[in-house]
Amino acid sequence: MENNSDEAMGASRHNSRPKVHSTMCNELSLMLDKVSSILPSIEAAQPGCKAGVEELCNLYSIVDKGKLIIQNSIECSSLYLAITSEATAMRCERIRNSLRRSLFLIQNMVEPLLANEVADVHNDLRDLKFIVDPTEEDAGNAILEMLRQSEVTHQLELETFLLAASKLNITSPKAILIERRAIKKLLTKINGTDPKKEGILKYLLYLVRRYGKNTKPETGEKNNNVNAAAEIMSSDLVNGISTPQRCISNVESGNVRYDDQNNLVGAAHRLQSYAAQCL
């Protein structure tokens, strides 16, 4: 159980730089800035028809959705962002496509000089690409691959978590605390309304709580993982439990117990179809 000292220790707020998806967020920010720069001119032009007003409102709404993606990348759990990277890239692409569609329609509703400006922005957005960072993709794939295993040992959990944590820079006590708080914040936001997402987040929280103390700023040496894994295995043997035979089906996280291994394995498959709706 966590105590109040965690809250005091982690009083510092997240900075304004995305923890994950920084490359995609940079592209997204560039795109939103380009569109935002011409919104006042479009509004001042007062496209008189109903369709023009609707598209202007639509542009503002799409820009706000893009800003939410960036905000999520600043505040959200890095582990969760990593396993939903493809969904985030798809959302960015949908925002780009929606902006281009609205700009194309609006350029035919305003005077020629402004229409040229709108057309230039419309064309600029065409070349923007949203690509998942390979390091973040590796971290997310490692966790998803573990979830697909029919049998998961503590050693596999530890090594997978350390790999993901290293790639996502969750390697200091402060970073671990920030990650734990971010997951808890997401769980509070869900508040029992989304069992699938809630189950995934609770498992990530379990990983952070159990193995977070094993992370090190310098995790490049292979022996770090081996030694930490040996410590976990020794602890289990002392308690009369052989780690290779003790799988996630026996894991308790808070007041949630994964009674059926198939529930956790199925979570990975459900996540893939569900990820586009997340965040």
Side-chain angles (χ1 to χ4, degrees):
M1 176 178 286
E2 298 171 18
N3 54 43
N4 291 335
S5 65
D6 281 349
E7 302 298 325
M9 175 182 157
S12 59
R13 295 291 179 183
H14 305 151
N15 58 34
S16 59
R17 185 173 63 86
K19 296 181 291 183
V20 179
H21 305 331
S22 59
T23 301
M24 282 197 289
C25 285
N26 286 340
E27 290 292 284
L28 182 58
S29 180
L30 176 63
M31 179 174 69
L32 298 179
D33 287 346
K34 284 179 178 291
V35 174
S36 296
S37 69
I38 61 172
L39 282 177
S41 298
I42 295 174
E43 188 169 0
Q46 297 181 342
C49 61
K50 180 180 178 181
V53 174
E54 289 177 350
E55 287 305 327
L56 178 60
C57 293
N58 194 36
L59 279 174
Y60 276 110
S61 176
I62 298 169
V63 168
D64 286 342
K65 289 178 181 178
K67 290 178 180 178
L68 282 177
I69 292 179
I70 296 174
Q71 192 65 26
N72 277 332
S73 296
I74 294 171
E75 298 180 351
C76 192
S77 154
S78 295
L79 293 171
Y80 188 72
L81 287 170
I83 63 178
T84 56
S85 292
E86 290 296 334
T88 301
M90 291 172 60
R91 290 179 65 195
C92 290
E93 290 172 358
R94 286 198 296 270
I95 286 175
R96 178 198 60 204
N97 295 339
S98 295
L99 288 173
R100 294 190 76 231
R101 174 189 172 279
S102 288
L103 290 172
F104 177 78
L105 294 174
I106 283 180
Q107 74 182 58
N108 296 315
M109 303 175 187
V110 296
E111 51 93 15
L113 186 59
L114 179 56
N116 289 335
E117 291 184 43
V118 174
D120 288 342
V121 174
H122 173 271
N123 292 333
D124 287 343
L125 301 191
R126 177 183 54 204
D127 298 325
L128 290 177
K129 307 292 183 183
F130 299 98
I131 301 172
V132 178
D133 183 280
T135 301
E136 296 167 1
E137 184 176 25
D138 288 345
N141 286 342
I143 296 173
L144 289 173
E145 181 59 32
M146 180 176 65
L147 290 175
R148 296 188 188 102
Q149 300 296 316
S150 59
E151 194 169 292
V152 180
T153 65
H154 287 318
Q155 182 176 1
L156 177 60
E157 283 184 336
L158 174 61
E159 292 179 349
T160 300
F161 175 76
L162 290 180
L163 172 66
S166 176
K167 290 181 177 293
L168 298 173
N169 296 316
I170 313 174
T171 55
S172 68
K174 179 179 178 181
I176 289 293
L177 176 58
I178 289 174
E179 177 66 13
R180 187 166 65 242
R181 286 163 62 97
I183 296 173
K184 291 170 66 178
K185 183 177 179 180
L186 277 176
L187 284 169
T188 301
K189 184 177 179 181
I190 294 172
N191 195 26
T193 60
D194 193 329
K196 295 177 183 178
K197 184 174 179 180
E198 185 176 20
I200 293 165
L201 288 169
K202 284 182 176 178
Y203 182 62
L204 294 179
L205 183 59
Y206 153 75
L207 291 175
V208 173
R209 282 173 168 166
R210 184 175 179 89
Y211 304 112
K213 63 182 180 295
N214 297 109
T215 60
K216 298 179 181 180
E218 300 289 338
T219 55
E221 297 183 14
K222 185 177 181 180
N223 287 339
N224 287 341
N225 284 0
V226 175
N227 293 337
E231 291 176 8
I232 297 294
M233 292 175 70
S234 298
S235 175
D236 287 331
L237 289 171
V238 168
N239 294 318
I241 301 172
S242 177
T243 299
Q245 296 173 348
R246 180 177 177 177
C247 303
I248 296 176
S249 56
N250 298 323
V251 169
E252 289 190 24
S253 174
N255 59 357
V256 176
R257 183 181 180 90
Y258 294 94
D259 294 312
D260 184 357
Q261 176 67 22
N262 291 330
N263 289 341
L264 192 55
V265 176
H269 300 291
R270 291 195 298 271
L271 173 63
Q272 292 176 344
S273 61
Y274 171 77
Q277 305 171 30
C278 292
L279 301 181

